[in-house]
Amino acid sequence: MRVLVIGASGYVGSRVVPAFLAIGCTVRAAARNPTALRRFWWHDQVETAQVDVTAAHTLPPAFDDVDVVVYLVHGMRSAHFRDLDLAAARTVRHAVDASPVTRVVYVSGFVPECAPDALSEHLLSRWEVEQERPAPAAR
């Protein structure tokens, strides 16, 4: 299985990559700055890709010949993080719809079962990104 990990340089991504390697997957680790991946012991065991989820043109080359996309991007550095997260998720969803990818894994949060307006801004953002699913016809 060929796995693309978007956000491989983050806390979760840097731990997910070795788990996929351990079970024999071919991993393409994606980050805005792929040189940041050199700090991890596994950097020479993966393919790397420069991906900016806010720039659609960076996605198709990374999705080439990939079965699974693991999406680990959360933009908490801006006052408008909800808008940025949702726009990025839509950009990735469109790329998935146009690719041979068969599965998307998104690490959300512990979102309680309640009305969306009862959630914190942080959890609401995670829930909104969850709702961006690939088109059923594309699968």
Side-chain angles (χ1 to χ4, degrees), residues 1-6 16 20 25-28 62-71 96 99-106 139:
M1 178 171 48
R2 294 182 55 84
V3 180
L4 170 64
V5 179
I6 302 175
V16 165
F20 280 114
C25 295
T26 300
V27 177
R28 182 172 297 146
F63 281 57
D64 185 43
D65 198 28
V66 168
D67 304 303
V68 177
V69 171
V70 180
Y71 184 70
V96 167
S99 77
V101 170
T102 58
R103 183 170 295 157
V104 176
V105 177
Y106 169 65
R139 302 300 112 216

Side-chain angles (χ1 to χ4, degrees), residues 52-57 59 86-96 132:
D52 180 341
V53 294
T54 65
H57 71 278
L59 296 169
L86 189 54
R90 286 182 176 149
T91 299
V92 171
R93 180 181 48 82
H94 291 302
V96 167
E132 284 300 315

Side-chain angles (χ1 to χ4, degrees), residues 10 14-15 19 22 26 28 42 46 52 66 73 77 90 99 110 136:
S14 67
R15 286 147 177 85
T26 300
R28 182 172 297 146
W42 45 257
V46 301
D52 180 341
V66 168
V73 176
R77 295 183 183 173
R90 286 182 176 149
S99 77
F110 293 106

Side-chain angles (χ1 to χ4, degrees), residues 57-133:
H57 71 278
T58 67
L59 296 169
F63 281 57
D64 185 43
D65 198 28
V66 168
D67 304 303
V68 177
V69 171
V70 180
Y71 184 70
L72 302 171
V73 176
H74 302 293
M76 296 294 293
R77 295 183 183 173
S78 166
H80 305 286
F81 70 89
R82 272 185 58 207
D83 295 332
L84 294 172
D85 273 353
L86 189 54
R90 286 182 176 149
T91 299
V92 171
R93 180 181 48 82
H94 291 302
V96 167
D97 288 345
S99 77
V101 170
T102 58
R103 183 170 295 157
V104 176
V105 177
Y106 169 65
V107 177
S108 181
F110 293 106
V111 179
E113 291 194 32
C114 63
D117 61 353
L119 297 171
S120 68
E121 286 291 300
H122 176 239
L123 287 180
L124 182 57
S125 178
R126 300 284 173 101
W127 179 82
E128 289 169 337
V129 169
E130 279 182 30
Q131 305 315 302
E132 284 300 315
R133 297 191 173 135

Side-chain angles (χ1 to χ4, degrees), residues 7-24:
S9 64
Y11 180 82
V12 174
S14 67
R15 286 147 177 85
V16 165
V17 167
F20 280 114
L21 290 171
I23 61 171

